[in-house]
Amino acid sequence: MYVNNKKKACEYCNIHSEEYTFDENVKEEALLELIDCLNASKSIHGILVQLPLPKHIDEKKIINAISEKKDVDAFTPANVGKIMIGDYDFLPCTPAGVMELIKESGIDVKGKECVVVGRSNIVGKPQAMLLLHSHGTVTICHSKTENLKEVTKRADILVVAIGKAKFITADMVKKGAVVIDVGMDRDEEGKLCGDVDFESVKGVAGAITPVPGGVGPMTIAMLMKNTIKAAAL
Ligand code: NAP
């Protein structure tokens, strides 16, 4: 679904896209060889590796092989480091999409209590950093956080990225809070849903993003933005 949506968005933006699919037993060298080739290509400006990779592949090694200037997902250590110091070419697409949603909704992060649930390298950690750059007071929660509900209830802005269907319920949310649901999960009936129990939380939240239709499309929009930026670098 992710890959198809990205391809459609490229078509919409008139960006040429190429997809390389491999057998799950693919050798690491084959992936590295392809990345080398794409790094050197004058007609390719952005490269993304769709994660997760099969267990026998060293994900770090593959990501590190992507040229910093074509790293439109902003996953390489060089780009991650630049985000830490607030001097970057690319922002990771999902957290950047969340920030854009917040900004376009007229919500000021400055001084707000921001809680990010999830600390993955691709969502939670960079999300916390971007909220911090916008002058939020940021707390990051994870699976070892004690009294999670007490922490999430403090949030003026709550961003959830854990990968557990409908995990955040109304009793975990402060009245009027902005709730941003990054999760892409399946419910008991196999229907796409988020990490937030939308039906119960919408009665408490001041603003809330739906799944599907919230953060997902923003992630793709940010990918297009990064790719166009990469072409101009
Ligand atoms: P991930 O790498 O699996 O990380 C999940 C994080 O959630 C971990 O930090 C984990 O804590 C934390 N966590 C798990 N259970 C928890 C619990 N009970 N309480 C508190 N924290 C808990 O996942 P991810 O890649 O960040 O993705 C998260 C979700 O976002 C998934 O549903 C994914 O499909 C979705 N996603 C959506 C988009 C989009 O464009 N909409 C993009 C990327 C991801 P530990 O670190 O302690 O294990």
Side-chain angles (χ1 to χ4, degrees):
M1 191 178 71
Y2 281 146
V3 175
N4 277 337
N5 287 344
K6 287 170 187 175
K7 277 161 64 178
K8 274 194 219 147
C10 282
E11 271 170 41
Y12 179 78
C13 297
N14 213 7
I15 295 173
H16 165 79
S17 74
E18 294 175 8
E19 181 189 355
Y20 299 87
T21 51
F22 291 88
D23 185 86
E24 123 179 62
N25 299 317
V26 62
K27 288 207 161 56
E28 208 168 79
E29 297 77 62
L31 294 184
L32 291 170
E33 210 173 290
L34 174 65
I35 290 173
D36 268 355
C37 180
L38 297 173
N39 279 340
S41 166
K42 287 208 160 51
S43 60
I44 297 290
H45 299 100
I47 303 170
L48 65 90
V49 175
Q50 189 65 47
L51 303 176
L53 295 174
K55 288 209 165 45
H56 68 282
I57 304 273
D58 183 347
E59 205 165 275
K60 256 198 243 163
K61 201 165 161 188
I62 299 297
I63 298 296
N64 291 357
I66 299 171
S67 157
E68 196 188 314
K69 296 208 173 317
K70 298 190 179 186
D71 173 28
V72 286
D73 262 338
F75 285 173
T76 60
N79 282 324
V80 172
K82 286 180 176 182
I83 292 159
M84 283 287 289
I85 55 173
D87 174 22
Y88 42 75
D89 293 318
F90 307 119
L91 286 177
C93 303
T94 301
V98 169
M99 296 311 290
E100 198 71 25
L101 269 173
I102 292 175
K103 194 175 111 204
E104 288 296 316
S105 307
I107 294 156
D108 190 5
V109 176
K110 194 157 130 196
K112 297 269 163 44
E113 193 80 50
C114 304
V115 175
V116 179
V117 191
R119 58 172 165 182
S120 70
N121 288 334
I122 63 169
V123 188
K125 284 184 202 160
Q127 187 66 70
M129 199 48 63
L130 298 191
L131 289 163
L132 186 63
H133 288 326
S134 292
H135 310 295
T137 302
V138 184
T139 305
I140 309 177
C141 302
H142 45 78
S143 67
K144 311 290 184 290
T145 298
E146 289 179 7
N147 305 321
L148 181 68
K149 181 174 151 183
E150 276 172 31
V151 185
T152 57
K153 253 199 125 104
R154 287 206 311 257
D156 300 311
I157 299 175
L158 178 64
V159 182
V160 190
I162 59 176
K164 295 215 157 98
K166 303 183 184 177
F167 183 87
I168 299 288
T169 43
D171 59 324
M172 300 171 85
V173 177
K174 176 161 122 181
K175 190 150 182 52
V178 172
V179 180
I180 300 182
D181 189 354
V182 177
M184 291 270 252
D185 314 308
R186 299 272 166 193
D187 67 12
E188 330 59 64
E189 290 155 21
K191 260 178 61 191
L192 189 62
C193 70
D195 290 344
V196 176
D197 182 13
F198 186 88
E199 283 312 314
S200 78
V201 174
K202 75 175 182 196
V204 183
I208 182 168
T209 62
V211 179
V215 175
M218 290 306 295
T219 298
I220 294 178
M222 295 303 108
L223 177 65
M224 299 300 111
K225 184 175 168 183
N226 281 350
T227 307
I228 288 163
K229 202 168 177 192
L233 278 181

